[in-house]
Structures are given as C-alpha cells and as structure tokens.
C-alpha cells in the first residue's frame, strides 16, 4: 500500500479521494463515487473530507539533482 499523501496529479478538488484511492488500490473515480454516495447518508462526511484535506501532507516533488 502506498503512503497516505495527496498526489500532485489526478486531483479534482483537494486530492483526498485520489490519495485514499491510491492507498487502497482502487481507481480515483470509484473513490469519488463512493464519497458522493456516502454524502446521501447522515454523518460528517464533508467535515471529514475537509479535515483530511488540511491534515494530509501533499506529495513532494522530486528534486532535480545537478
């Protein structure tokens, strides 16, 4: 499993669904559909998304070696 970091590419809003999809080995589209479907249920899904957006570190870009 990959580390839980928000990727630089493949983001739509904050990269949270892309990070979770990469972590669990599924497509980002599937994770986004799961998130949108979960928003139909009562609970703090939106707040959890915002919290993960703030707390998850962004993926570091590879530095060029001279």
């Amino acid at each position: 499993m990959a580390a839980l970091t928000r990727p630089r590419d493949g983001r739509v809003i904050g990269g949270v669904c892309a990070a979770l999809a990469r972590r669990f080995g599924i497509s980002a589209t599937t994770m986004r559909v799961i998130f949108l479907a979960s928003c139909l249920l009562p609970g703090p899904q939106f707040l959890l998304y915002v919290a993960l957006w703030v707390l998850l570190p962004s993926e570091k870009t590879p530095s060029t070696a001279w």
Side-chain angles (χ1 to χ4, degrees), residues 19-31:
L20 292 173
R22 189 171 59 179
R23 174 78 163 103
F24 294 113
I26 61 176
S27 75
T29 304
T30 303
M31 183 59 73

Side-chain angles (χ1 to χ4, degrees), residues 13-63:
I13 296 176
V16 174
C17 287
L20 292 173
R22 189 171 59 179
R23 174 78 163 103
F24 294 113
I26 61 176
S27 75
T29 304
T30 303
M31 183 59 73
R32 291 179 186 118
V33 169
I34 290 170
F35 173 73
L36 289 175
S38 75
C39 285
L40 298 174
L41 301 171
Q45 292 86 343
F46 181 73
L47 294 176
L48 181 62
Y49 185 91
V50 172
L52 287 173
W53 190 353
V54 170
L55 295 175
L56 286 179
S58 188
E59 185 177 59
K60 297 189 187 301
T61 57
S63 56

